[in-house]
Amino acid sequence: MSGVDSEEGQAYNTLKSLFEQTRKVYSRDSPFIDAIAIQMFQSNQQEIIRKANIATFISSILGAHDVSFFHLNEFFMETFVPLGNRLLKWQGAIYLELKTQAYISALINSDGHPAAMLDELFPPDLDAQILTRHPDAPSLSPSEQDFVDRSKARKHYLLAEGNADVALKELPKKYQWTDFAREFASCISKNVDAIMNVPVRTQTVQSALERKANSVSDNTHSLALLSSATALSNVHIPKDGDGTSKKSSAVVTAPSAGPSSTVRQPWTKPEEDALLSGLERVNGPHWSQILALFGRGGSVSEVLKDRNQVQLKDKARNLKLWHLKMGKEVPHALKGVTGELRKRGGKSARAAAGEEDAEGGDDDIGQVSTGGSRRKKTKKGS
């Protein structure tokens, strides 16, 4: 953006001002809105508030809002991990780096003891705090356990720096703010659709929230103004006179909204490789187990985080059919996958795949497939 006097800059400042005025109606003492504190228990109200907090969080990291590290650390989980959801691997990565930046800032701006500051940022009950986000699933996912383990290791490393003067000199070099801001923007850009369209929370959590509400006034009209918050992450942030933001030496533009989740996304080579690897690892078409390895919060990676069980089944079936049609040997990983050629030559092709008599079953999703339901065999002449 050329500057605050440009047409885009003026439009952004107008939107920012409107957003700030509306936000202060609900939260004057904190830059983030606490839905429970203002007795907003309905799911649509909480979702609007969450998106408003996302706008505040993102624009703060990118320099448009002056929010303390204390508030950023305190509201990270509530903002990015709604109730009933788990901390994903990419979220844990930026949360860990945010805590590290908060510690460096505390060293620079306060006289507190390093050990005490680290205990506040990396509390002993960090795992218990994460579990409060999904009370209906009282165990850590692999990605959450990984975050807890890495947090312990980072705390130990930072504490081992010992002398505060040495830490003040070395840590800002090792953990540069510009690197964090760049990585943060990259993570947001890659996951913007998942951030703005989180799965509906479980009925257990929803009921627990609504039971707390004795009487909730209808603030839908006022809260609707906060929905403009999402636009804050879709515009460029104006630069200061020297071309820098308050926190970073180079302003990174926030991402635009990603494609709708209903749009059919072509499969990438890494996704296909992960699918085949998953079939090998779990020894067959066990789709839920494959997603546990490569889906959201996967123990191996999150390459398949945007795929569901039906999509895995359809893709595996299509890969198998491609090999059969081309007369190629079906890879071992695909031999247990359903799929056969029904045209001339199909029988010999199936025999080559080792499945002339029967096909492998799918344990997780039964007969459901976007490719069509199975047909019942009929007697000849019927």
Side-chain angles (χ1 to χ4, degrees):
M1 182 176 290
S2 58
V4 296
D5 294 330
S6 67
E7 183 176 349
E8 290 179 334
Q10 293 176 1
Y12 172 81
N13 286 327
T14 299
L15 176 62
K16 178 182 174 184
S17 177
L18 175 62
F19 171 70
E20 281 296 304
Q21 293 174 19
T22 309
R23 182 190 61 77
K24 288 179 180 179
V25 171
Y26 300 94
S27 178
R28 291 185 174 274
D29 300 327
S30 170
F32 295 100
I33 304 173
D34 188 337
I36 304 301
I38 60 175
Q39 296 187 333
M40 295 294 174
F41 301 108
Q42 296 180 11
S43 59
N44 64 325
Q45 295 172 330
Q46 291 204 343
E47 185 60 13
I48 291 174
I49 290 174
R50 188 184 71 85
K51 290 181 178 179
N53 286 338
I54 287 175
T56 298
F57 203 107
I58 293 176
S59 59
S60 171
I61 296 295
L62 301 181
H65 285 83
D66 189 11
V67 179
S68 70
F69 278 112
F70 170 80
H71 285 110
L72 291 174
N73 178 67
E74 182 182 12
F75 280 88
F76 181 91
M77 292 290 287
E78 291 187 21
T79 301
F80 289 98
V81 188
L83 281 174
N85 291 269
R86 293 183 177 277
L87 179 72
L88 303 180
K89 185 171 291 185
W90 71 267
Q91 294 169 336
I94 61 175
Y95 194 19
L96 177 59
E97 297 308 320
L98 174 66
K99 287 178 174 292
T100 304
Q101 292 296 328
Y103 175 65
I104 295 173
S105 177
L107 282 178
I108 296 174
N109 299 305
S110 72
D111 298 326
H113 194 278
M117 291 187 288
L118 286 172
D119 285 338
E120 183 176 355
L121 290 168
F122 301 93
D125 64 340
L126 188 57
D127 54 346
Q129 293 183 16
I130 295 175
L131 289 175
T132 61
R133 305 311 299 168
H134 45 83
D136 55 331
S139 61
L140 296 177
S141 67
S143 60
E144 291 172 335
Q145 186 61 58
D146 177 69
F147 168 72
V148 172
D149 294 341
R150 292 178 63 194
S151 294
K152 291 179 180 178
R154 180 66 58 84
K155 179 181 180 180
H156 178 76
Y157 172 80
L158 295 174
L159 191 60
E161 287 293 319
N163 188 288
D165 294 332
V166 175
L168 280 174
K169 181 179 179 181
E170 298 299 328
L171 290 180
K173 295 180 182 178
K174 182 176 178 63
Y175 302 102
Q176 295 187 28
W177 169 262
T178 52
D179 292 340
F180 166 69
R182 197 172 295 114
E183 180 63 22
F184 176 83
S186 176
C187 286
I188 296 298
S189 178
K190 293 176 181 177
N191 298 279
V192 64
D193 188 55
I195 294 172
M196 302 310 293
N197 302 286
V198 297
V200 178
R201 67 169 63 94
T202 62
Q203 186 64 36
T204 302
V205 178
Q206 177 68 18
S207 298
L209 285 172
E210 292 181 348
R211 281 197 299 269
K212 295 180 181 179
N214 295 322
S215 59
V216 179
S217 58
D218 185 10
N219 291 298
T220 303
H221 176 70
S222 297
L223 280 172
L225 292 175
L226 286 175
S227 63
S228 63
T230 57
L232 285 174
S233 61
N234 297 331
V235 297
H236 295 284
I237 296 175
K239 299 178 181 178
D240 295 334
D242 59 354
T244 61
S245 66
K246 294 181 181 179
K247 289 190 176 76
S248 62
S249 61
V251 172
V252 186
T253 58
S256 60
S260 169
S261 59
T262 59
V263 177
R264 188 168 186 175
Q265 297 295 322
W267 278 70
T268 64
K269 184 63 166 59
E271 286 179 321
E272 291 184 5
D273 293 342
L275 174 58
L276 293 174
S277 175
L279 287 166
E280 288 279 5
R281 283 170 176 258
V282 304
N283 195 29
H286 310 301
W287 311 120
S288 62
Q289 295 180 34
I290 294 174
L291 288 179
L293 295 173
F294 297 100
R296 291 189 182 278
S299 58
V300 177
S301 74
E302 294 185 329
V303 177
L304 299 176
K305 62 182 177 64
D306 295 322
R307 303 295 179 180
N308 56 38
Q309 293 185 32
V310 171
Q311 290 173 322
L312 297 189
K313 178 182 177 180
D314 286 345
K315 183 61 179 178
R317 179 178 181 274
N318 289 336
L319 288 174
K320 181 176 181 178
L321 290 175
W322 180 85
H323 282 84
L324 293 173
K325 290 176 181 178
M326 300 301 294
K328 297 179 178 291
E329 182 180 358
V330 176
H332 177 73
L334 296 172
K335 288 188 175 181
V337 175
T338 59
E340 62 179 66
L341 293 178
R342 297 187 179 278
K343 295 182 180 180
R344 185 170 52 191
K347 184 176 181 180
S348 59
R350 293 195 302 275
E355 56 167 43
E356 181 175 359
D357 296 326
E359 297 177 346
D362 297 337
D363 67 335
D364 295 316
I365 54 178
Q367 310 298 323
V368 180
S369 171
T370 56
S373 59
R374 296 188 184 180
R375 297 182 178 89
K376 294 182 179 180
K377 293 183 178 180
T378 58
K379 296 180 180 181
K380 292 183 178 180
S382 59

